[in-house]
Amino acid sequence: MPPAPGDRDARREDVSEAVWLALAEKGFGGLTLRAVASAMGVSTGMLMHYFPTKRALIAHALDLLEKRTAERPRRERPAEGLATVRAMLLDILPLTPDDTARNRIWVSSWDLALADDGLASDQAGRYTRLRSTIRPHLEAARGLGELPAGADPERLAAGAVAFVHGLVVQALFDPGRFPEDVQVSMVDDFLASISAARGPAGAPRTTL
Amino acid sequence: MPPAPGDRDARREDVSEAVWLALAEKGFGGLTLRAVASAMGVSTGMLMHYFPTKRALIAHALDLLEKRTAERPRRERPAEGLATVRAMLLDILPLTPDDTARNRIWVSSWDLALADDGLASDQAGRYTRLRSTIRPHLEAARGLGELPAGADPERLAAGAVAFVHGLVVQALFDPGRFPEDVQVSMVDDFLASISAARGPAGAPRTTL
DNA sequence: CGGTACGTAACAAGCGTTCGGTATGTAAGG
DNA sequence: CCTTACATACCGAACGCTTGTTACGTACCG
């Protein structure tokens, strides 16, 4: 076959797709060169042509995961403030099969990441980035009066990420108990609660 | 050596300890018979005397994980209501090295669980049980007026579990950013927010 | 021809598992 | 009491298989 221009990149795309399938089915613990190769009907030797070692393929898989997460279809960001935060959180939840697969692969990657210092700090960086993506909108929400004046946006961002990722894990293991509407209204309840909360340092409480 | 009474159980305890060490270090993805055997200075053949197959050893590891989680030292349950919920949530957080190891192993197990239907439904059951352990105290809190009258305890329990487990994951990957006091006050903020929130179904909101 | 893009086949290493073999102890029988 | 028999606990080595990796051969292109 001819080494047509861009052929190499196209082939790498095929590899990516096979890696994705293998990961969605068996997770990182079951990611094997032969599984990927046979999933795309080629030999393992061919794989080594594009990824010289398995570490390279794992790194590619993680890049792919990050890329597909970044490029996933997102709902519109309606206005500033809490409504935007809501949209961001809903975009994380496993509401469609694609979202579910992506979240499964993320959770599966944590086993690898916890055992490897480099991967662990990568994951820590991703969390830091995610929080700082949400934080400005929490600040805006506070400016709009949607949050108490004393609210700490960074900490609220960490809390929102925690809530939504903990919900992801529960929903992955028990999809029947966490259908779309339950997940969505749980996020809505969470946002409503932080918007009604008192400030942190002994500020006057409105209820109770 | 004599097959003294209880010797077999004592040996199984040794195996458990070695399994625990191996898991804390490398996670389930790196759990290998030879690693366990050499960690306790014995041969792999000896392991097969106590666990006929690796599946059995993995099952034992999961049992051990559940047992050590159930038997971990817990803080006193102060009074009824939200204070009890607070104590339960704090008992989950990775605040001590032991808690951290246990949580790491739990998170690591999710890779395995997501790829195996049986393990996945086990995990779903554990979540269900955890939620129903927390729920009665949320009901009590509602009765005490610590929560809005319209609050749904089951959903609040799911939210609390989500929040705390999402916090666990972030803290495991970035312990420097989530020291004990940050984790504790995040839980406190969360509890304060749900206690101040309005009820779910169009009940009158106090702020905004 | 030379170089790229593979397939085929083999490699060493590591895996879970199996199989004798060797102590050591308990139980039985004269 | 001594001996024989048998079960237990364990080791060491090997088995067969899968893993990641490498080497070599071939087809096709410019």
Side-chain angles (χ1 to χ4, degrees), chain B residues 43-121:
Chain B
S43 67
T44 69
M46 181 269 196
L47 278 184
M48 312 305 286
H49 240 267
Y50 292 88
F51 301 96
T53 176
K54 194 193 179 181
R55 268 200 100 72
L57 190 139
I58 289 182
H60 175 72
L62 290 170
D63 282 356
L64 182 68
L65 184 50
E66 198 158 10
K67 190 179 145 206
R68 296 205 171 179
T69 301
E71 293 174 354
R72 93 206 105 127
R74 284 189 183 79
R75 61 206 84 211
E76 291 177 19
R77 297 290 129 91
E80 276 302 284
L82 270 195
T84 304
V85 175
R86 184 184 114 105
M88 293 179 121
L89 298 185
L90 293 186
D91 280 336
I92 296 177
L93 294 175
L95 300 178
T96 73
D98 279 359
D99 296 333
T100 303
R102 225 179 6 253
N103 273 299
R104 285 174 64 97
I105 299 178
W106 272 124
V107 173
S108 158
S109 78
W110 293 344
D111 180 27
L112 229 79
L114 282 174
D116 181 300
D117 285 350
L119 298 181
S121 66

Side-chain angles (χ1 to χ4, degrees), chain B residues 113-177:
Chain B
L114 282 174
D116 181 300
D117 285 350
L119 298 181
S121 66
D122 287 353
Q123 182 62 32
R126 273 189 280 267
Y127 268 123
T128 301
R129 240 172 299 132
L130 177 55
R131 290 191 299 264
S132 49
T133 308
I134 296 180
R135 193 187 51 232
H137 301 98
L138 289 166
E139 289 169 359
R142 191 183 51 182
L144 292 169
E146 293 177 324
L147 291 176
D152 176 350
E154 171 69 17
R155 200 161 286 191
L156 278 179
V161 169
F163 183 87
V164 106
H165 259 193
L167 179 54
V168 164
V169 173
Q170 289 185 78
L172 287 181
F173 281 115
D174 205 340
R177 201 178 279 260

Side-chain angles (χ1 to χ4, degrees), chain A:
Chain A
M1 247 179 215
D7 228 30
R8 188 173 184 86
D9 292 355
R11 219 72 178 96
R12 280 180 70 105
E13 273 302 313
D14 293 349
V15 176
S16 298
E17 203 52 43
V19 168
W20 194 259
L21 283 186
L23 283 179
E25 203 171 333
K26 293 288 176 188
F28 274 91
L31 180 62
T32 171
L33 292 178
R34 280 169 174 81
V36 174
S38 84
M40 59 188 295
V42 300
S43 66
T44 71
M46 182 271 196
L47 277 184
M48 312 305 287
H49 216 64
Y50 291 87
F51 302 96
T53 176
K54 193 193 177 179
R55 269 202 99 71
L57 190 140
I58 289 181
H60 175 72
L62 290 169
D63 282 357
L64 182 68
L65 184 52
E66 198 158 10
K67 190 179 146 208
R68 295 206 171 179
T69 301
E71 293 173 355
R72 93 205 107 126
R74 284 190 185 79
R75 58 207 86 210
E76 291 177 21
R77 296 290 130 91
E80 276 304 282
L82 271 194
T84 305
V85 175
R86 184 184 114 106
M88 293 179 122
L89 298 185
L90 293 186
D91 280 337
I92 295 177
L93 294 175
L95 301 178
T96 73
D98 279 0
D99 297 332
T100 303
R102 221 176 13 250
N103 273 300
R104 285 173 65 96
I105 299 177
W106 272 123
V107 173
S108 158
S109 79
W110 293 344
D111 180 27
L112 229 80
L114 282 174
D116 181 301
D117 285 348
L119 298 181
S121 65
D122 287 354
Q123 183 62 32
R126 273 190 280 267
Y127 268 123
T128 301
R129 238 172 299 130
L130 177 56
R131 289 191 298 264
S132 49
T133 307
I134 296 179
R135 192 186 49 234
H137 300 99
L138 289 167
E139 289 168 0
R142 191 182 50 182
L144 291 169
E146 292 177 324
L147 292 176
D152 176 350
E154 172 68 18
R155 200 160 285 192
L156 278 180
V161 169
F163 183 87
V164 106
H165 258 192
L167 179 53
V168 165
V169 173
Q170 288 184 79
L172 287 180
F173 281 114
D174 205 340
R177 200 177 280 260
F178 293 91
E180 170 160 357
D181 58 309
V182 169
Q183 294 187 51
V184 171
S185 62
M186 279 182 66
V187 166
D188 283 335
D189 288 355
F190 174 77
L191 290 174
S193 75
I194 66 172
S195 77
R198 74 183 196 289
R205 186 119 56 117
T206 51
T207 319
L208 243 188

